[in-house]
Amino acid sequence: PAQNSTQDYMRKVRKHSKPKLLPHEKALLEQGKLRNVSHSQSSSIWLEAKSKSAGKGRTLVYRPMGDAELSYLRENNQLPDTQPYQAIIRGEPGRIYSEKYLKGHKKVNTNPTTVVEFDAPTALIDDLFKRFHKPEDGVLSCGLGPKAGGDLELFNEALSCDKNKSSQQYVTWKIVTVKRRAKKEEISIIYCDGVLVRAKLTLLVYVCRCVPACER
C-alpha cells in the first residue's frame, strides 16, 4: 500500500479462528446427548441428536434460535417475547426447514446457531396452527409472536407445566442441532514512522473507527 508523508499506514489480513463450543454444548456432547457430525475439512462444528418419537397425543415442533434466545430458554424455560414472528414448524419437515437457517440456505438477523425440538400436546399445536399459520418453502409455520398469531403466552404456559402433574398439557424441549462457526478475525499490520506494530482485532466483537495509525 502507498505510504503517507509520515510513513504511517495499515494493512489488514482476515482469517478464521477455530470454532469453540459453548459450555452447555460441550456438556451435552460429553453426556452423549449430542454427537459431533462435522466432516474433517469443516470450518464449523456440527452437533446433532436424533429426534425423539412423538407419543400418543403428542406432536414435535422445531424452532431455529440464536444464542440470546436459547440462553433465555435455558435459564427460564420460557421463550422470550423479543421475536416479532417466532415460528414453530411441525414434524420432520419442520426440522429440515429449521436447519436451513444454520446451513445458510435461509437468512435472518438473529444469527441462528441451534435448532430446538419441542414435544407438545397435539391439541395445543393444532389450536395454535388453526389460529395462525402460513406456508414457507413447502412447510407450514405457526408464528407465536405479536406480528403473527400472538399466542406466545399460551405456549409458555405449557412450557411451565409440571410434566408429572399436568397430564398431557406440558411442553418439553431439547437441542437437536448446533452449528458453531469459526470467528472471523482481522489482523491489522500498522506502521508508525516506519515501526511495525501488530494488533489483533475480532471483527464480530467490535469495529474500530478509522483514525491515523499513530493515534491507535
Side-chain angles (χ1 to χ4, degrees), residues 40-56:
S40 59
Q41 302 302 316
S42 177
S43 61
S44 300
I45 299 175
W46 283 90
L47 306 179
E48 287 186 358
K50 289 183 178 180
S51 295
K52 67 184 299 184
S53 298
K56 185 178 179 180

Side-chain angles (χ1 to χ4, degrees), residues 1-4 7-13 186-192 197 199 201 208-213 216:
Q3 298 182 16
N4 61 25
Q7 295 186 330
D8 298 343
Y9 68 90
M10 179 173 65
R11 181 168 61 89
K12 297 180 180 180
V13 179
E186 185 177 89
I187 303 298
S188 298
I189 310 300
I190 304 172
Y191 286 86
C192 292
V197 179
L201 310 177
C208 286
R209 66 185 180 94
C210 295
V211 297
R216 292 181 184 269

Side-chain angles (χ1 to χ4, degrees), residues 85-102:
Y85 186 72
Q86 208 152 33
I88 54 173
I89 312 99
R90 192 195 306 248
E92 185 62 22
R95 175 171 180 171
I96 294 170
Y97 178 82
S98 296
E99 288 176 348
K100 289 182 179 181
Y101 287 91
L102 275 61

Side-chain angles (χ1 to χ4, degrees), residues 22 60 90 98 110 148 193 195:
L22 299 183
L60 303 178
R90 192 195 306 248
S98 296
T110 52
D193 292 328
V195 178

Side-chain angles (χ1 to χ4, degrees), residues 13-82:
V13 179
R14 293 183 179 181
K15 72 170 190 174
H16 290 80
S17 62
K18 291 183 178 180
K20 293 182 180 180
L21 296 177
L22 299 183
H24 73 273
E25 296 165 347
K26 186 179 295 186
L28 291 171
L29 182 63
E30 292 172 350
Q31 294 164 13
K33 295 180 179 179
L34 290 171
R35 60 191 182 96
N36 192 331
V37 295
S38 313
H39 64 76
S40 59
Q41 302 302 316
S42 177
S43 61
S44 300
I45 299 175
W46 283 90
L47 306 179
E48 287 186 358
K50 289 183 178 180
S51 295
K52 67 184 299 184
S53 298
K56 185 178 179 180
R58 310 290 297 176
T59 295
L60 303 178
V61 294
Y62 297 85
R63 172 161 174 74
M65 295 186 187
D67 289 342
E69 185 178 0
L70 180 65
S71 177
Y72 188 93
L73 176 63
R74 291 181 59 244
E75 292 174 5
N76 301 282
N77 198 38
Q78 300 275 281
L79 290 175
D81 60 358
T82 55

Side-chain angles (χ1 to χ4, degrees), residues 114-161:
T114 308
V115 174
V116 175
E117 175 186 271
F118 295 93
D119 179 355
T122 298
L124 172 64
I125 299 304
D126 286 347
D127 185 44
L128 291 174
F129 272 76
K130 285 177 182 177
R131 291 167 179 260
F132 182 92
H133 67 268
K134 72 174 184 178
E136 296 190 64
D137 291 356
V139 299
L140 292 178
S141 73
C142 171
L144 301 174
K147 298 293 186 181
D151 290 316
L152 177 61
E153 186 175 349
L154 285 177
F155 196 80
N156 275 341
E157 285 177 2
L159 274 168
S160 65
C161 287

